[in-house]
Amino acid sequence: MLTWLSREDLVFPPLEKAMREPNGLLAAGGDLSPQRLVAAYRHGCFPWYQEGQPILWWSPDPRTVLYPDALHVSRSLRKTLRKGGFTVTLDQAFTEVIRGCAAPRSYADGTWITTPMQEAYIQLHALGHAHSVEVWQENRLVGGLYGLAMGRLFFGESMFSRTTDASKVGFVTLVERLQGWGFKLIDCQMPTQHLAGFGARPIPRSVFAEALARHLDEPTSAQWGS
C-alpha cells in the first residue's frame, strides 16, 4: 500500500516498503521544502513526478550507481577532452543549468523538472546542498548537469547538452573531481544506456542503503565554485 506523507513531519517509510511495480515507488505527497528534500536523499529516495501528479518519491531496486574509480571514458571522448574545446566550471550558473535540463527534449513529452522542482533545487543550491557543472564553448553555456553532494556521496539529477559531447565532458570532469575529493559513490538513480557507457551499474538497494549509512557524513576535500 502506498504511503501518503503529511506536511507536518519529514518521516519516510522504510525503503523495503517500496513497490515492486512500478519499481521503487515509495510514497506520495508531502512537499518540496529543503528540509524534506535533504531528508529524502539521506533516507535513500528522491522525487520524480509529472505535471498534474502528486509528488512521488522513489527508491528503485536495484539502484544504478557509478563508483568514481570505475569510470570508463571512450577513446573518442578522450580525444575530445584532449582537444580542449570546452571550459568546465562548477557552481557558476546553477539556475541556467537546471533550466537547461528542464528544457523540452525532442525525444520526450514534457519534463519532470517542473517549475516547483526548479525552485526547490535552486533553494538547495543556495543552502550549499545542490551543485552544478557548467560546460562552456566560446563563453556560451552548451551543457551541464546538477545534483546534490552529501558527505562522500553525489546524487546526480539531470544533464543537458546543446552541442555534441558537452554533457559528457561535464560528467567526466565532475567524476574525476569527485574521485580526487574522496567521494565513494555517484547515485545515478535509474539505468540508461548513456550512463552504462561510463561504467554505471546496478546494485541492490540494500547495498546502496549501506553506502548511505557509511558515507553520508564523512568529510571531503570538495571545493565547489571553481
Side-chain angles (χ1 to χ4, degrees), residues 88-194:
V88 180
T89 59
L90 305 180
D91 278 2
Q92 298 300 304
F94 186 91
T95 298
E96 290 85 347
V97 167
I98 196 170
R99 287 176 179 165
C101 291
R105 314 281 177 111
S106 60
Y107 53 83
D109 295 326
T111 177
W112 59 270
I113 310 175
T114 60
T115 298
M117 285 280 279
Q118 293 177 50
E119 293 172 349
Y121 284 81
I122 289 171
Q123 277 190 284
L124 285 179
H125 173 63
L127 293 170
H129 299 298
H131 301 282
S132 60
V133 177
E134 303 88 21
V135 184
W136 310 86
Q137 192 172 54
E138 298 179 351
N139 297 317
R140 185 171 67 93
L141 185 67
V142 294
L145 62 106
Y146 75 97
L148 278 71
M150 295 183 184
R152 297 195 180 197
L153 305 174
F154 186 84
F155 303 84
E157 278 299 315
S158 185
M159 63 178 66
F160 79 100
S161 189
R162 293 172 180 155
T163 191
T164 303
D165 287 341
S167 63
K168 294 180 180 180
V169 168
F171 184 72
V172 169
T173 301
L174 172 65
V175 175
E176 291 177 343
R177 292 279 188 94
L178 293 175
Q179 185 176 13
W181 292 339
F183 278 64
K184 299 299 184 183
L185 181 147
I186 298 168
D187 175 28
C188 302
Q189 299 179 350
M190 307 293 284
T192 67
Q193 186 174 0
H194 178 70

